[in-house]
Amino acid sequence: MPATSCFWNLCGPKSLRKLAEWVDDAMDLEQVVCPIDPGHRRGGKRLTDLSICLPGGTVQDFVWTWYSECLIQDHVLDLFRRESFTGFDVKPVKARFKSGTAEPPKLWELVLTGWAGPAKPESGVRRVQYCEACRDATYSEVTDGSQLIDASQWDGSDFFMIWPMPGLIFVTDRVAECIRAQRLTGTVLKHVHELTGFGEGGLGGGRLSDWMSEARARELGEAAGIAEI
């Protein structure tokens, strides 16, 4: 198994100019209402495929939304499949430009299926609050990114998530090298140790079943001791 230093976080660039917006009236979110604490009201699982509005101009190989969903163009999906990368699936995306009548390129939402369990406590990530009634949880921030991933829990996938950061995309060296070699645009690769300080103010990924099927969330969550299934 590779050392933790061989894992990367795939993320959006710092510039906000290219971020895609949700078409709100085409989107539907599950609403979670806590029966005992109104402060725990929040959005849960997204119930619809993405419908987005692009800001215009050149569409990059990777496109990110304001909510950090990662979208890839059709040719990127073809590349990833040719390379036999594992640990991801895709969902269709309905896209249009904010103005004009031009048709954007076909986009797919990148969905993680790979898994590396919970963050190691040595990383600083520990559960500090949990509500039994609505399964709302808060975790402390990352203080040592080099200790974030427990390689013994990693399933070997090229793309994978860790808990409680299911919205972050982690990849292997193999993926990172491919992205660099092909000079794919619209994304940044960070060593995991660069995530130090990430999550200031607290982390929380909702429920594991917000990110995958109920059956898989229960299987993985129970094995890993995650309460918020």
Side-chain angles (χ1 to χ4, degrees):
M1 285 190 178
T4 304
S5 59
C6 295
F7 294 129
W8 301 79
N9 172 222
L10 183 72
C11 55
K14 288 183 179 180
S15 173
L16 305 181
R17 292 188 304 107
K18 294 288 187 179
L19 292 181
E21 300 176 6
W22 279 17
V23 179
D24 288 332
D25 58 4
M27 305 289 289
D28 192 14
L29 278 179
E30 176 190 33
Q31 295 299 311
V32 179
V33 181
C34 181
I36 63 173
D37 189 336
H40 292 170
R41 185 185 183 97
R42 65 190 188 279
K45 184 189 289 285
R46 201 182 74 225
L47 303 176
T48 52
D49 290 332
L50 275 177
S51 182
I52 56 121
C53 184
L54 297 163
T58 302
V59 179
Q60 296 180 306
D61 298 313
F62 286 81
V63 176
W64 300 80
T65 73
W66 283 93
Y67 295 105
S68 299
E69 290 105 351
C70 178
L71 318 180
I72 55 175
Q73 289 204 42
D74 217 24
H75 67 271
V76 178
L77 175 58
D78 289 342
L79 171 66
F80 286 175
R81 285 175 170 166
R82 288 198 306 273
E83 295 291 331
S84 299
F85 291 148
T86 58
F88 77 96
D89 201 350
V90 291
K91 290 182 179 180
V93 176
K94 185 176 181 180
R96 61 176 173 81
F97 286 112
K98 198 167 188 177
S99 60
T101 58
E103 283 290 321
K106 189 169 187 178
L107 293 169
W108 299 92
E109 180 183 6
L110 188 70
V111 179
L112 297 178
T113 60
W115 177 250
K120 292 170 61 179
E122 292 85 352
S123 69
V125 178
R126 294 178 176 83
R127 198 176 72 194
V128 295
Q129 175 271 327
Y130 177 64
C131 177
E132 293 279 357
C134 68
R135 291 178 285 175
D136 180 67
T138 303
Y139 289 77
S140 54
E141 67 180 88
V142 180
T143 57
D144 185 354
S146 68
Q147 295 291 325
L148 190 61
I149 297 170
D150 183 350
S152 70
Q153 296 198 55
W154 174 55
D155 64 8
S157 296
D158 292 298
F159 290 80
F160 60 94
M161 72 170 69
I162 64 172
W163 195 258
M165 293 170 277
L168 268 65
I169 300 171
F170 293 94
V171 300
T172 58
D173 255 349
R174 205 161 73 93
V175 176
E177 289 169 3
C178 175
I179 290 172
R180 292 193 195 98
Q182 297 297 319
R183 298 185 179 181
L184 299 181
T185 59
T187 195
V188 173
L189 288 157
K190 295 181 180 179
H191 276 290
V192 289
H193 67 249
E194 294 183 63
L195 294 178
T196 299
F198 178 83
E200 185 176 355
L203 293 166
R207 297 171 301 184
L208 190 56
S209 56
D210 293 344
W211 302 88
M212 59 186 68
S213 71
E214 294 274 353
R216 188 158 188 260
R218 186 158 298 282
E219 176 188 1
L220 293 175
E222 289 178 351
I226 296 169
E228 57 274 27
I229 300 171

